[in-house]
Amino acid sequence: MTGAASLASVSAALALRLAEAGHTSVFVEPPSPVSGGRDTLIYSFRTQGGGPQILRLFPSGSVGRARFEAAVQSAVATQGYPVPQVVLAGDDIAGLPFMVMERVPGEPLASWIVPPGPRMLRAPRMLAEAHVALHALDAGAVQAAVEGLDAGKPHRPAEMLARRLEQLDRPEDTSLRRAVEWARERAVGGDDVVCHGDFHPFNVLVDGDSLSGVIDWTDLQFAPREYDVARNMVLNDHVPMGGPLLGRPFMAAARRWLGRRYVTEYQRLHPLSSETLQCWAAVNAVLMLAQAVVQRRAGTTYIWQDARAAGALARRVHAVAGIDVLPSLGVLS
C-alpha cells in the first residue's frame, strides 16, 4: 500500500479526482496521515470553502469493498443515522481504491472511559442507544443499495461460516471444523437487521454530549441483532489490550465493565434472551478463531491470533457448544 513517502502523489491524485467530479480541488489543508484504519490508510484534508474531510485508501484489488462501504454509509445516512457523508468513491488514487467522506466532529466514546471521569457512567447507555437505533433501520433498503456489489466476503454469518469450512481443510482442523459446523447450524433464522460488526467505543464518535457519528463499516453483516450484541460481548471480554503495559489491566477491566453495562442498557431498551446471546457469543468466537487460523496460514495478521485471547475464545466455545477446539489452534501458539 501507499506509504508516507508518496504523500505528494496522493495529494495530486486526490485533487484530480475531486476536480473530475466537480468538487473544489484547491487544498487549504493538504492531506496528512491519520492513525487507525486497520488495513486502510487514512488522510485528513480540507479544500477551499469546505469543511474537514477524510480520504480512505483501501488495499490494492479491493475496489468492490470500497464501493460497498460507500453504498452502505450512504444508505444508512439516507435513513437519518449519523455516519460520515460519502462525497466520492472510486478505484484509483495512487493506484488504490478510495473513498472520500466528510470528517465527523468529535472524539471517540472511549474518551469518556479512559481516563475515567464523570461521563464514564453514561457511556454504556450512549453505546446501547446508538446500537438499538442502528438495529431499527430498514435493513431491506440497505441490502437493496448494495445489491450486486462484491465486497470480497460474505455479509451473512452462515455464509461466512460456510466459507471457513472450505478453507479449513487440513487434518488438524477437525475440531475447529466441528465447531464451525455447530455454529453454522445456529446462525440461521431470526429477523435480519443492519449489524455493524465492530460497534466498540472507538468507532462511535461523540461531540460534546451527543452522538456525532459511527465509523468503520468494514465488518457489516445482515443478521439477527443478537449477533451484533453478542459480538460486542466477546470484544469487550476478550480483545487483547495494547498500550503501555502498566495500563493494560485497567483498560481490560474498563472494557469488561463497559461490556456488561452496555448489555444491561441494551436489554432495557430492547429485551433479548440471555441464552440466545450466549449462543451467538459462541458463534462469534468460532468465527474469530476460524479467521485467525486462516489468516495465520495466509501470512496476514489478525487480532485474535494472540494466543491468550484465542484460548479465551476457545473456552467460550467449549462452555456453550461442548467442543474442544484447542487441538486445531496449534498454529496460533
Side-chain angles (χ1 to χ4, degrees):
M1 290 186 67
T2 304
S6 57
L7 187 57
S9 63
V10 168
S11 299
L14 173 60
L16 178 61
R17 295 292 170 256
L18 289 170
E20 288 174 343
H23 299 287
T24 301
S25 59
V26 177
F27 294 121
V28 176
E29 297 174 10
S32 61
V34 177
S35 62
R38 290 198 281 183
D39 63 339
T40 64
L41 295 174
I42 301 177
Y43 301 85
S44 175
F45 70 96
R46 185 194 298 263
T47 55
Q48 193 173 60
Q53 297 184 76
I54 290 290
L55 166 67
R56 192 173 177 208
L57 296 182
F58 293 79
S60 178
S62 59
V63 65
R65 173 182 158 193
R67 295 188 183 280
F68 182 93
E69 291 192 35
V72 166
Q73 287 185 212
S74 295
V76 168
T78 298
Q79 297 190 48
Y81 197 75
V83 295
Q85 185 66 48
V86 176
V87 175
L88 185 64
D91 59 5
D92 185 14
I93 284 184
L96 298 173
F98 70 92
M99 178 165 60
V100 175
M101 53 191 166
E102 295 178 355
R103 181 163 189 164
V104 174
E107 57 190 353
L109 182 61
S111 66
W112 286 18
I113 304 166
V114 180
R119 295 187 297 180
M120 179 176 181
L121 296 178
R122 293 160 45 204
R125 180 166 184 163
M126 173 74 79
L127 190 66
E129 288 177 344
H131 216 182
V132 169
L134 171 64
H135 295 158
L137 298 182
D138 181 356
V142 179
Q143 292 181 59
V146 300
E147 187 72 31
L149 296 178
D150 181 10
K153 66 177 181 180
H155 286 280
R156 286 182 171 78
E159 295 172 3
M160 182 63 77
L161 288 159
R163 173 176 288 192
R164 295 302 178 219
L165 274 177
E166 296 173 357
Q167 296 168 322
L168 296 169
D169 56 0
R170 301 186 183 185
E172 60 268 31
D173 295 334
T174 300
S175 63
L176 186 53
R177 283 182 58 87
R178 283 182 55 218
V180 172
E181 289 167 349
W182 172 91
R184 188 169 64 158
E185 290 174 359
R186 285 152 182 83
V188 294
D191 295 326
D192 285 354
V193 301
V194 178
C195 294
H196 183 273
D198 201 22
F199 204 81
H200 58 69
F202 286 97
N203 282 336
V204 177
L205 305 182
V206 289
D207 188 21
D209 290 333
S210 302
L211 176 70
S212 58
V214 176
I215 61 174
D216 192 359
W217 294 81
T218 297
D219 294 326
L220 175 132
Q221 294 277 297
F222 298 108
R225 67 179 66 225
E226 289 89 347
Y227 162 86
D228 221 14
V229 176
R231 194 166 184 87
N232 262 15
M233 291 166 54
V234 176
L235 287 169
N236 286 309
D237 281 350
H238 305 307
V239 71
M241 289 290 107
L245 189 61
L246 290 177
R248 291 180 188 177
F250 170 77
M251 288 288 293
R255 286 203 72 153
R256 287 192 296 270
W257 170 83
L258 173 68
R260 284 158 176 73
R261 292 298 307 163
Y262 148 81
V263 172
T264 298
E265 291 291 343
Y266 193 105
Q267 294 272 40
R268 183 183 60 80
L269 296 165
H270 190 105
L272 299 172
S273 161
S274 296
E275 182 179 353
T276 302
L277 282 177
Q278 290 300 331
C279 181
W280 273 104
V283 169
N284 272 293
V286 171
L287 278 163
M288 293 165 176
L289 287 171
Q291 184 172 347
V293 170
V294 169
Q295 290 195 204
R296 173 60 60 84
R297 288 174 180 164
T300 55
T301 58
Y302 180 53
I303 192 169
W304 298 107
Q305 291 166 350
D306 176 270
R308 187 172 180 177
L313 295 179
R315 290 190 292 274
R316 190 154 205 155
V317 172
H318 186 266
V320 176
I323 300 172
D324 180 11
V325 297
L326 286 174
S328 294
L329 303 183
V331 68
L332 302 181
S333 59

mmCIF file of all heavy atoms in Angstrom, residues 35-58:
data_model
loop_
_atom_site.group_PDB
_atom_site.id
_atom_site.type_symbol
_atom_site.label_atom_id
_atom_site.label_comp_id
_atom_site.label_asym_id
_atom_site.label_seq_id
_atom_site.Cartn_x
_atom_site.Cartn_y
_atom_site.Cartn_z
ATOM 1 N N SER A 35 -3.892 8.313 12.171
ATOM 2 C CA SER A 35 -3.680 6.957 12.685
ATOM 3 C C SER A 35 -4.978 6.161 12.650
ATOM 4 O O SER A 35 -6.072 6.715 12.592
ATOM 5 C CB SER A 35 -3.147 7.005 14.118
ATOM 6 O OG SER A 35 -4.080 7.632 14.976
ATOM 7 N N GLY A 36 -4.836 4.826 12.727
ATOM 8 C CA GLY A 36 -6.003 3.947 12.715
ATOM 9 C C GLY A 36 -6.265 3.435 11.315
ATOM 10 O O GLY A 36 -5.447 3.578 10.406
ATOM 11 N N GLY A 37 -7.430 2.807 11.144
ATOM 12 C CA GLY A 37 -7.820 2.360 9.812
ATOM 13 C C GLY A 37 -7.558 0.900 9.523
ATOM 14 O O GLY A 37 -7.849 0.434 8.417
ATOM 15 N N ARG A 38 -6.974 0.156 10.480
ATOM 16 C CA ARG A 38 -6.684 -1.265 10.255
ATOM 17 C C ARG A 38 -5.890 -1.437 8.964
ATOM 18 O O ARG A 38 -4.745 -1.025 8.886
ATOM 19 C CB ARG A 38 -7.978 -2.085 10.257
ATOM 20 C CG ARG A 38 -8.620 -2.195 11.624
ATOM 21 C CD ARG A 38 -9.619 -3.316 11.698
ATOM 22 N NE ARG A 38 -10.882 -2.968 11.107
ATOM 23 C CZ ARG A 38 -11.940 -3.769 11.110
ATOM 24 N NH1 ARG A 38 -11.854 -4.964 11.666
ATOM 25 N NH2 ARG A 38 -13.071 -3.401 10.568
ATOM 26 N N ASP A 39 -6.480 -2.047 7.940
ATOM 27 C CA ASP A 39 -5.735 -2.311 6.704
ATOM 28 C C ASP A 39 -5.912 -1.205 5.674
ATOM 29 O O ASP A 39 -5.544 -1.374 4.507
ATOM 30 C CB ASP A 39 -6.161 -3.657 6.112
ATOM 31 C CG ASP A 39 -7.636 -3.670 5.701
ATOM 32 O OD1 ASP A 39 -8.408 -2.835 6.218
ATOM 33 O OD2 ASP A 39 -8.019 -4.526 4.874
ATOM 34 N N THR A 40 -6.478 -0.071 6.078
ATOM 35 C CA THR A 40 -6.612 1.059 5.156
ATOM 36 C C THR A 40 -5.741 2.212 5.620
ATOM 37 O O THR A 40 -5.335 2.271 6.782
ATOM 38 C CB THR A 40 -8.078 1.534 5.067
ATOM 39 O OG1 THR A 40 -8.497 2.024 6.353
ATOM 40 C CG2 THR A 40 -8.996 0.404 4.632
ATOM 41 N N LEU A 41 -5.465 3.130 4.698
ATOM 42 C CA LEU A 41 -4.722 4.346 5.023
ATOM 43 C C LEU A 41 -5.693 5.512 5.063
ATOM 44 O O LEU A 41 -6.567 5.640 4.191
ATOM 45 C CB LEU A 41 -3.639 4.600 3.979
ATOM 46 C CG LEU A 41 -2.520 3.559 3.902
ATOM 47 C CD1 LEU A 41 -1.606 3.850 2.728
ATOM 48 C CD2 LEU A 41 -1.719 3.514 5.193
ATOM 49 N N ILE A 42 -5.559 6.357 6.054
ATOM 50 C CA ILE A 42 -6.500 7.457 6.252
ATOM 51 C C ILE A 42 -5.754 8.780 6.256
ATOM 52 O O ILE A 42 -4.696 8.916 6.884
ATOM 53 C CB ILE A 42 -7.280 7.274 7.574
ATOM 54 C CG1 ILE A 42 -8.047 5.954 7.553
ATOM 55 C CG2 ILE A 42 -8.239 8.435 7.799
ATOM 56 C CD1 ILE A 42 -8.791 5.655 8.832
ATOM 57 N N TYR A 43 -6.329 9.754 5.553
ATOM 58 C CA TYR A 43 -5.758 11.096 5.483
ATOM 59 C C TYR A 43 -6.864 12.118 5.770
ATOM 60 O O TYR A 43 -8.008 11.952 5.348
ATOM 61 C CB TYR A 43 -5.189 11.377 4.088
ATOM 62 C CG TYR A 43 -4.111 10.424 3.649
ATOM 63 C CD1 TYR A 43 -4.441 9.204 3.055
ATOM 64 C CD2 TYR A 43 -2.766 10.730 3.817
ATOM 65 C CE1 TYR A 43 -3.460 8.317 2.649
ATOM 66 C CE2 TYR A 43 -1.774 9.852 3.407
ATOM 67 C CZ TYR A 43 -2.130 8.646 2.830
ATOM 68 O OH TYR A 43 -1.150 7.776 2.428
ATOM 69 N N SER A 44 -6.483 13.170 6.471
ATOM 70 C CA SER A 44 -7.387 14.284 6.723
ATOM 71 C C SER A 44 -6.995 15.448 5.817
ATOM 72 O O SER A 44 -5.808 15.692 5.595
ATOM 73 C CB SER A 44 -7.311 14.709 8.192
ATOM 74 O OG SER A 44 -8.099 15.852 8.439
ATOM 75 N N PHE A 45 -7.992 16.170 5.281
ATOM 76 C CA PHE A 45 -7.694 17.323 4.433
ATOM 77 C C PHE A 45 -8.883 18.276 4.439
ATOM 78 O O PHE A 45 -9.983 17.950 4.890
ATOM 79 C CB PHE A 45 -7.360 16.893 3.002
ATOM 80 C CG PHE A 45 -8.529 16.358 2.224
ATOM 81 C CD1 PHE A 45 -9.249 17.186 1.365
ATOM 82 C CD2 PHE A 45 -8.923 15.026 2.342
ATOM 83 C CE1 PHE A 45 -10.332 16.703 0.643
ATOM 84 C CE2 PHE A 45 -10.004 14.537 1.624
ATOM 85 C CZ PHE A 45 -10.710 15.376 0.772
ATOM 86 N N ARG A 46 -8.658 19.468 3.917
ATOM 87 C CA ARG A 46 -9.723 20.462 3.772
ATOM 88 C C ARG A 46 -9.481 21.225 2.471
ATOM 89 O O ARG A 46 -8.349 21.637 2.190
ATOM 90 C CB ARG A 46 -9.716 21.432 4.952
ATOM 91 C CG ARG A 46 -10.896 22.427 4.936
ATOM 92 C CD ARG A 46 -10.648 23.560 5.920
ATOM 93 N NE ARG A 46 -10.538 23.104 7.288
ATOM 94 C CZ ARG A 46 -11.543 23.122 8.180
ATOM 95 N NH1 ARG A 46 -12.719 23.585 7.812
ATOM 96 N NH2 ARG A 46 -11.347 22.696 9.407
ATOM 97 N N THR A 47 -10.562 21.420 1.702
ATOM 98 C CA THR A 47 -10.453 22.190 0.467
ATOM 99 C C THR A 47 -11.050 23.574 0.664
ATOM 100 O O THR A 47 -11.784 23.828 1.619
ATOM 101 C CB THR A 47 -11.181 21.482 -0.690
ATOM 102 O OG1 THR A 47 -12.536 21.236 -0.326
ATOM 103 C CG2 THR A 47 -10.487 20.174 -1.036
ATOM 104 N N GLN A 48 -10.732 24.450 -0.255
ATOM 105 C CA GLN A 48 -11.166 25.836 -0.164
ATOM 106 C C GLN A 48 -12.695 25.925 -0.094
ATOM 107 O O GLN A 48 -13.405 25.381 -0.935
ATOM 108 C CB GLN A 48 -10.647 26.597 -1.385
ATOM 109 C CG GLN A 48 -10.738 28.100 -1.289
ATOM 110 C CD GLN A 48 -10.041 28.757 -2.464
ATOM 111 O OE1 GLN A 48 -10.405 28.546 -3.625
ATOM 112 N NE2 GLN A 48 -9.020 29.552 -2.180
ATOM 113 N N GLY A 49 -13.177 26.610 0.941
ATOM 114 C CA GLY A 49 -14.613 26.799 1.092
ATOM 115 C C GLY A 49 -15.358 25.618 1.665
ATOM 116 O O GLY A 49 -16.585 25.666 1.806
ATOM 117 N N GLY A 50 -14.642 24.542 1.999
ATOM 118 C CA GLY A 50 -15.302 23.335 2.502
ATOM 119 C C GLY A 50 -14.891 23.004 3.922
ATOM 120 O O GLY A 50 -13.995 23.613 4.499
ATOM 121 N N GLY A 51 -15.572 22.031 4.484
ATOM 122 C CA GLY A 51 -15.252 21.571 5.820
ATOM 123 C C GLY A 51 -14.200 20.470 5.786
ATOM 124 O O GLY A 51 -13.735 20.062 4.712
ATOM 125 N N PRO A 52 -13.794 19.966 6.948
ATOM 126 C CA PRO A 52 -12.794 18.895 7.006
ATOM 127 C C PRO A 52 -13.328 17.608 6.386
ATOM 128 O O PRO A 52 -14.508 17.276 6.544
ATOM 129 C CB PRO A 52 -12.542 18.736 8.505
ATOM 130 C CG PRO A 52 -13.747 19.290 9.174
ATOM 131 C CD PRO A 52 -14.251 20.375 8.287
ATOM 132 N N GLN A 53 -12.450 16.935 5.669
ATOM 133 C CA GLN A 53 -12.830 15.683 5.005
ATOM 134 C C GLN A 53 -11.782 14.609 5.260
ATOM 135 O O GLN A 53 -10.669 14.886 5.718
ATOM 136 C CB GLN A 53 -12.997 15.910 3.496
ATOM 137 C CG GLN A 53 -14.120 16.877 3.150
ATOM 138 C CD GLN A 53 -14.330 16.998 1.655
ATOM 139 O OE1 GLN A 53 -14.893 16.120 1.017
ATOM 140 N NE2 GLN A 53 -13.866 18.109 1.097
ATOM 141 N N ILE A 54 -12.171 13.379 4.955
ATOM 142 C CA ILE A 54 -11.307 12.217 5.141
ATOM 143 C C ILE A 54 -11.157 11.487 3.815
ATOM 144 O O ILE A 54 -12.146 11.269 3.094
ATOM 145 C CB ILE A 54 -11.900 11.248 6.194
ATOM 146 C CG1 ILE A 54 -11.821 11.852 7.594
ATOM 147 C CG2 ILE A 54 -11.210 9.888 6.150
ATOM 148 C CD1 ILE A 54 -10.415 11.962 8.160
ATOM 149 N N LEU A 55 -9.925 11.129 3.494
ATOM 150 C CA LEU A 55 -9.637 10.227 2.378
ATOM 151 C C LEU A 55 -9.242 8.882 2.958
ATOM 152 O O LEU A 55 -8.357 8.808 3.814
ATOM 153 C CB LEU A 55 -8.498 10.773 1.515
ATOM 154 C CG LEU A 55 -7.881 9.775 0.522
ATOM 155 C CD1 LEU A 55 -8.885 9.389 -0.563
ATOM 156 C CD2 LEU A 55 -6.604 10.356 -0.099
ATOM 157 N N ARG A 56 -9.893 7.838 2.504
ATOM 158 C CA ARG A 56 -9.564 6.486 2.957
ATOM 159 C C ARG A 56 -9.111 5.671 1.757
ATOM 160 O O ARG A 56 -9.842 5.539 0.766
ATOM 161 C CB ARG A 56 -10.793 5.848 3.605
ATOM 162 C CG ARG A 56 -10.526 4.566 4.362
ATOM 163 C CD ARG A 56 -11.778 4.129 5.097
ATOM 164 N NE ARG A 56 -11.583 2.864 5.790
ATOM 165 C CZ ARG A 56 -12.545 2.005 6.050
ATOM 166 N NH1 ARG A 56 -13.790 2.278 5.688
ATOM 167 N NH2 ARG A 56 -12.297 0.878 6.675
ATOM 168 N N LEU A 57 -7.895 5.132 1.816
ATOM 169 C CA LEU A 57 -7.351 4.299 0.751
ATOM 170 C C LEU A 57 -7.425 2.833 1.164
ATOM 171 O O LEU A 57 -6.948 2.459 2.240
ATOM 172 C CB LEU A 57 -5.899 4.682 0.459
ATOM 173 C CG LEU A 57 -5.649 6.091 -0.091
ATOM 174 C CD1 LEU A 57 -4.164 6.286 -0.366
ATOM 175 C CD2 LEU A 57 -6.473 6.337 -1.349
ATOM 176 N N PHE A 58 -7.993 2.019 0.291
ATOM 177 C CA PHE A 58 -8.184 0.599 0.569
ATOM 178 C C PHE A 58 -7.051 -0.217 -0.050
ATOM 179 O O PHE A 58 -6.356 0.257 -0.962
ATOM 180 C CB PHE A 58 -9.528 0.140 0.003
ATOM 181 C CG PHE A 58 -10.724 0.739 0.701
ATOM 182 C CD1 PHE A 58 -11.133 2.038 0.417
ATOM 183 C CD2 PHE A 58 -11.439 0.011 1.642
ATOM 184 C CE1 PHE A 58 -12.236 2.600 1.054
ATOM 185 C CE2 PHE A 58 -12.540 0.556 2.284
ATOM 186 C CZ PHE A 58 -12.942 1.847 1.994
#
